[in-house]
Amino acid sequence: LRLVEPGIDTDSTKRRVPLRALVTTMDPGLLDDVLSKLTAADARLLFTQTRDPIDDDPMVELSHEALIKSWKRLRDWIDENKQDLITQRRLEEATKDWLLAAKNDAYLYRGTVLSQASDWAGSHETDITKEQRDFLERSIVESATQSGVSDAAALDQLESAAKDAWLDPAAMDLWIS
């Protein structure tokens, strides 16, 4: 499924991914066995000859998009996992952007997007890379820090408003503490 780009209101398409992206928690020996069977001359379901132009890593892709349309089992897997695939692709892109930006906190997830990605990652441990895990963990820490700042700012505003309305500010300070 990593080799498929799920279509949103369009057909799904093939996508080229670095071989290292297929290695999460899968045994590398098992991955080699699967790849050798799917790239064999009598199968030719995958290609691995291409290289990433940036870091020269081997790339893997479906041999043809017709596989997506013709291979019923693959189509069923895509349909059953479409929302998960979309969440995963967005996480991949966000992580890549964060890494390219030298791990700038401005690129981190927040709010609902962070919650959805964290929920997905929690139920897809074998589908998440170390970099994506680092990105989510940093997003969670930063979100908690920002939330703490927001909570502290809100408490300061509440205290200020309460002091204006409270008849005995010393009693209010004692009540707050």
Side-chain angles (χ1 to χ4, degrees):
L1 291 176
R2 283 186 183 261
L3 302 176
V4 174
E5 186 66 47
I8 303 173
D9 298 329
T10 62
D11 290 338
S12 296
T13 57
K14 69 179 187 168
R15 71 191 282 259
R16 183 179 300 158
V17 298
L19 179 60
R20 71 183 180 293
L22 299 178
V23 180
T24 51
T25 59
M26 180 186 275
D27 173 18
L30 177 61
L31 179 61
D32 288 342
D33 288 346
V34 170
L35 285 175
S36 67
K37 287 179 178 150
L38 296 178
T39 58
D42 61 336
R44 290 190 181 165
L45 298 174
L46 299 179
F47 287 130
T48 59
Q49 296 85 356
T50 56
R51 296 263 177 198
D52 186 323
I54 296 172
D55 55 18
D56 201 40
D57 281 348
M59 303 290 284
V60 180
E61 67 180 305
L62 292 172
S63 60
H64 200 281
E65 288 187 0
L67 285 170
I68 297 170
K69 293 177 182 169
S70 302
W71 189 359
K72 182 179 177 352
R73 182 175 229 167
L74 179 58
R75 271 197 337 268
D76 290 345
W77 286 337
I78 294 167
D79 291 343
E80 290 167 12
N81 296 287
K82 188 170 257 190
Q83 192 54 52
D84 288 339
L85 290 171
I86 291 168
T87 300
Q88 184 179 32
R89 297 303 174 269
R90 288 179 179 162
L91 177 59
E92 286 174 4
E93 290 302 314
T95 300
K96 184 170 36 169
D97 290 345
W98 177 66
L99 291 170
L100 288 172
K103 298 184 178 180
N104 184 324
D105 287 350
Y107 288 80
L108 296 172
Y109 275 171
R110 289 172 176 71
T112 305
V113 176
L114 174 57
S115 178
Q116 289 171 342
S118 296
D119 289 347
W120 174 84
S123 61
H124 292 83
E125 284 294 318
T126 60
D127 295 328
I128 189 167
T129 65
K130 180 193 177 314
E131 292 84 6
Q132 292 166 351
R133 189 173 287 109
D134 292 345
F135 171 79
L136 284 176
E137 287 173 0
R138 182 68 191 138
S139 293
I140 290 167
V141 167
E142 183 63 20
S143 180
T145 301
Q146 289 299 318
S147 179
V149 169
S150 298
D151 291 347
L155 183 59
D156 287 345
Q157 288 177 346
L158 182 60
E159 285 180 22
S160 177
K163 281 184 181 178
D164 292 340
W166 204 290
L167 296 177
D168 183 2
M172 183 202 72
D173 287 338
L174 181 63
W175 179 80
I176 289 174
S177 60

